[in-house]
Amino acid sequence: MKQRSGRRWAALLMGSAVLLLGGLLSRRVPVEPASGQAVVTTDSKLIALTFDDGPRRSTTTRLLDGLEERGVHATFFLIGAQIEGNEDILRRMDEAGHQIGIHTFDHVQLDALNRIDFDAQVERSRTLLKEVLGHNDFLLRPPYGLLDERVKEWAGCPIILWSVDPEDWNDQSTTREVSHIVSHAQDGDIILMHDIFPASVDAALEVVDQLHAQGYLFCTVEELFSLRGISLEAGETYWNAYP
């Protein structure tokens, strides 16, 4: 019981530190916290944990539970076709401080589309997200990371790729995924995972625990770049925010 309580207390301390990120977005200066809490500054080791292909109720809700317990914010790139019937999950993400992005409506290769089909995949998804959440600040992640100059021109928002990819879709091995991410992680990374696989949910939460122990803090993509003093521009592509 003492061990579990200690771990929960440590997680809460880390969670308090991550919550301080919000104040940094506008000031970008060190925060002077209450005694005993970690200081989050532009010099902190930061990582953005991102998830594609959701939401899937069985796995995404369990992931949200685990992230909430650890005080961690993440970024979710959603499939438009999976929004209907999962609106409550989107609202929970949004209200909890997670960031939401577009991963097309049907998970299709964007650089193979004409403008009409592109809008059917991206703008249709954007409209659905606006209807559910009431705002329009969604990032875009092209499926498979494939894009061209037309995709950049038509995106209407920043395009987010990644710098660490454990290929969790391949063998769905929690142990291998954790090992890959933890051994490759560095300050400013964007980690790619998928919240539709139970093994990936387990891996993501273990990664958070292990990297927390190494002094890393987790934030959304927007928070990551803001803390690095980088403005995200529509039509531009971003892989990481290395200091």
Side-chain angles (χ1 to χ4, degrees):
M1 181 64 71
K2 290 184 179 179
Q3 183 179 8
R4 291 183 61 188
S5 298
R7 291 177 62 187
R8 183 178 297 276
W9 179 243
L12 288 173
L13 286 177
M14 281 298 182
S16 297
V18 175
L19 289 175
L20 293 170
L21 285 166
L24 287 170
L25 296 182
S26 58
R27 294 185 291 164
R28 296 180 192 161
V29 297
V31 172
E32 187 66 33
S35 177
Q37 293 181 347
V39 178
V40 183
T41 74
T42 53
D43 295 324
S44 297
K45 294 195 297 184
L46 303 174
I47 282 187
L49 191 58
T50 69
F51 298 93
D52 289 4
D53 293 0
R56 175 171 291 172
R57 184 167 296 274
S58 60
T59 49
T60 303
T61 54
R62 185 163 67 87
L63 175 61
L64 291 173
D65 290 342
L67 295 177
E68 181 178 5
E69 180 180 338
R70 292 159 174 80
V72 165
H73 291 166
T75 303
F76 292 84
F77 293 95
L78 306 180
I79 299 296
Q82 294 168 200
I83 292 175
E84 185 176 359
N86 289 313
E87 293 88 349
D88 59 319
I89 298 178
L90 271 64
R91 295 188 188 97
R92 178 184 176 185
M93 289 176 179
D94 196 53
E95 292 168 1
H98 301 294
Q99 188 169 10
I100 294 174
I102 299 166
H103 200 44
T104 74
F105 192 84
D106 296 305
H107 201 280
V108 298
Q109 184 176 325
L110 285 178
D111 62 346
L113 303 182
N114 58 35
R115 183 60 190 266
I116 293 175
D117 290 337
F118 179 93
D119 287 345
Q121 290 294 325
V122 175
E123 293 303 322
R124 183 181 179 187
S125 298
R126 180 176 284 124
T127 297
L128 288 173
L129 290 173
K130 287 168 57 178
E131 291 174 351
V132 174
L133 301 175
H135 56 81
N136 180 23
D137 51 0
F138 309 112
L139 305 173
L140 173 65
R141 172 167 284 167
Y144 318 108
L146 298 175
L147 69 157
D148 58 15
E149 291 304 315
R150 296 179 309 156
V151 172
K152 295 179 182 179
E153 179 183 352
W154 299 339
C157 64
I159 300 168
I160 307 300
L161 298 181
W162 55 85
S163 50
V164 177
D165 180 7
E167 297 186 351
D168 58 340
W169 49 268
N170 190 3
D171 55 4
Q172 297 180 43
S173 166
T174 296
T175 301
R176 185 195 60 77
E177 293 164 26
V178 172
S179 176
H180 180 94
I181 294 171
V182 171
S183 64
H184 287 81
Q186 57 183 314
D187 184 17
D189 270 329
I190 299 175
I191 299 173
L192 168 64
M193 301 191 77
H194 299 79
D195 55 316
I196 61 173
F197 304 125
S200 296
V201 172
D202 294 336
L205 299 179
E206 179 63 28
V207 164
V208 169
D209 291 341
Q210 289 196 27
L211 291 183
H212 266 170
Q214 295 182 23
Y216 284 91
L217 298 176
F218 289 82
C219 54
T220 67
V221 167
E222 182 180 21
E223 290 168 340
L224 175 65
F225 283 95
S226 180
L227 285 163
R228 292 291 179 248
I230 301 171
S231 297
L232 296 175
E233 304 292 341
E236 296 298 322
T237 306
Y238 303 87
W239 291 265
N240 58 67
Y242 294 151

